[in-house]
Amino acid sequence: NTYTASASQLVAASMDRARVITPTTCTAVTAFAAAALPNVTDERGVVLVQHRELSSACPTSYPGTVAVRAWVTESGTSAVLAESSTLIYVTGN
């Protein structure tokens, strides 16, 4: 449960940051999703690996939305401990 709680907090923080990206362009959202994220070691010594990606393409006309997905795995595994996705409103490319 500790792993899941820590992973859920990391995912929630990532989604909060995604919702306040400025400028609200597809280029900015794409850069946000592609940015390198640090691994986080929880209080039990478990290394949590943060991931983000665009899960939809940028729109062909603006304004529009683009989907961002965030998830956390334990180091050395592909098992997802927590994940979330959201649509980001974008005003231009």
Side-chain angles (χ1 to χ4, degrees), residues 22 30 32-33 70 74 84-85:
T22 53
T30 300
F32 169 80
E74 182 180 344
S84 182
S85 55

Side-chain angles (χ1 to χ4, degrees), residues 25-72:
T25 63
C26 203
T27 300
V29 174
T30 300
F32 169 80
L37 297 167
N39 293 343
V40 175
T41 303
D42 77 0
E43 61 273 356
R44 292 184 176 201
V46 175
V47 178
L48 302 174
V49 182
Q50 301 181 82
H51 308 272
R52 282 194 302 234
E53 70 179 4
L54 287 186
S55 51
S56 71
C58 289
T60 56
S61 62
Y62 296 94
T65 60
V66 63
V68 175
R69 175 180 173 236
W71 71 102
V72 173

Side-chain angles (χ1 to χ4, degrees), residues 3-36:
Y3 307 148
T4 303
S6 296
S8 295
Q9 289 173 350
L10 290 170
V11 167
S14 193
M15 290 291 100
D16 288 344
R17 287 189 298 277
R19 291 183 188 101
V20 296
I21 294 171
T22 53
T24 56
T25 63
C26 203
T27 300
V29 174
T30 300
F32 169 80

